[in-house]
Amino acid sequence: MKHKTPSLYDGEAAVLQAPTPEAIRALAARLRRANSPGMQVLNMVGGTADGLFSKLPASVRTQLESVTMSALELAFDGASRSRKNGFEGGGWLSKAVSSGLGAVGGAGGLPTALAELPVTTTILLHAIQAVAKEYGFDPEREDVRKACITVFAAAGPLEDDDGADLGFLATRTTLTGATLNGIIARVAPRLSVVLGQKLAAQTVPILGAVAGAVTNYAYTAYYQDMAHVTFGMLRLSEDSGESFETLKDMLRAQMSATL
């Protein structure tokens, strides 16, 4: 029996039985639109992603990778507990909660922004898991749990990315032999830079809480889109029987064709 899932782009019901051009175009549309809110953040705070990261104190930059790894580990426990307690999240709810946390974190400058980081990471992971569930995957399954973490390996919402780097997309076979801790360790270095940009944006003078709320909204929207691409690809592969690598090549070609 084929899974009936939400459409990859417009929210209407769709059965992904074959890698049709429409399905691939829908995935490409997700990738193209993912960075728009992040670019708006950069326009608001004035600067580039690299420039924001370099404004963080050296002591914070050197510790950020270990802080990120701890945040991911805490996020996994926290997201699992909240799901068991009945909080499904996802969609607008995740954006709203994340924005509120960002406002609180941004209001107090760097100290409160750092303290907010594990909680926001939990909300982001919860939003990713909610997307996985939309596509018929059990967020508590080990391979799905690992796939959720790999979403964080995407470039980040403040990068001017054309979507050509699809390295964050991992097949189930790739995830099978890896441990969860191993995947977290692999993702943490990239995510630490992405979260460093977020922290710096939240601590821009004068903007404070507003920058925090807008930044967190942008991050939640971005990772939700990346999750739709990830789990849309996995569902399309399972329903069609096409190899994941072939689908990735088709998606990359579609992105190149629309630049």
Side-chain angles (χ1 to χ4, degrees), residues 100-157:
L101 287 169
V104 173
L110 187 57
T112 55
L114 278 169
E116 166 247 327
L117 200 59
V119 186
T120 293
T121 305
T122 301
I123 297 299
L124 293 176
L125 181 57
H126 209 295
I128 292 169
Q129 291 175 333
V131 173
K133 189 174 181 180
E134 285 184 41
Y135 287 91
F137 296 104
D138 180 1
E140 296 301 319
R141 263 177 46 181
E142 192 66 12
D143 58 341
V144 178
R145 283 158 62 91
K146 293 172 184 175
C148 288
I149 287 292
T150 64
V151 174
F152 284 120

Side-chain angles (χ1 to χ4, degrees), residues 114-246:
L114 278 169
E116 166 247 327
L117 200 59
V119 186
T120 293
T121 305
T122 301
I123 297 299
L124 293 176
L125 181 57
H126 209 295
I128 292 169
Q129 291 175 333
V131 173
K133 189 174 181 180
E134 285 184 41
Y135 287 91
F137 296 104
D138 180 1
E140 296 301 319
R141 263 177 46 181
E142 192 66 12
D143 58 341
V144 178
R145 283 158 62 91
K146 293 172 184 175
C148 288
I149 287 292
T150 64
V151 174
F152 284 120
L158 302 189
E159 294 292 340
D160 191 9
D161 179 39
D162 61 6
D165 179 12
L166 302 179
F168 72 97
L169 290 173
T171 67
R172 283 188 165 180
T173 54
T174 302
L175 299 169
T176 301
T179 65
L180 187 58
N181 287 340
I183 290 176
I184 288 175
R186 189 180 70 199
V187 169
R190 169 170 271 193
L191 183 60
S192 66
V193 176
V194 174
L195 293 182
Q197 296 161 354
K198 176 183 116 64
L199 289 175
Q202 284 180 271
T203 56
V204 170
I206 301 175
L207 293 174
V210 175
V214 174
T215 301
N216 274 23
Y217 180 92
Y219 271 64
T220 307
Y222 174 82
Y223 285 116
Q224 283 176 326
D225 279 336
M226 293 299 101
H228 275 282
V229 175
T230 295
F231 293 105
M233 288 278 284
L234 286 171
R235 173 55 61 215
L236 190 58
S237 179
E238 288 198 1
D239 285 0
S240 69
E242 189 63 82
S243 76
F244 196 87
E245 288 305 315
T246 297

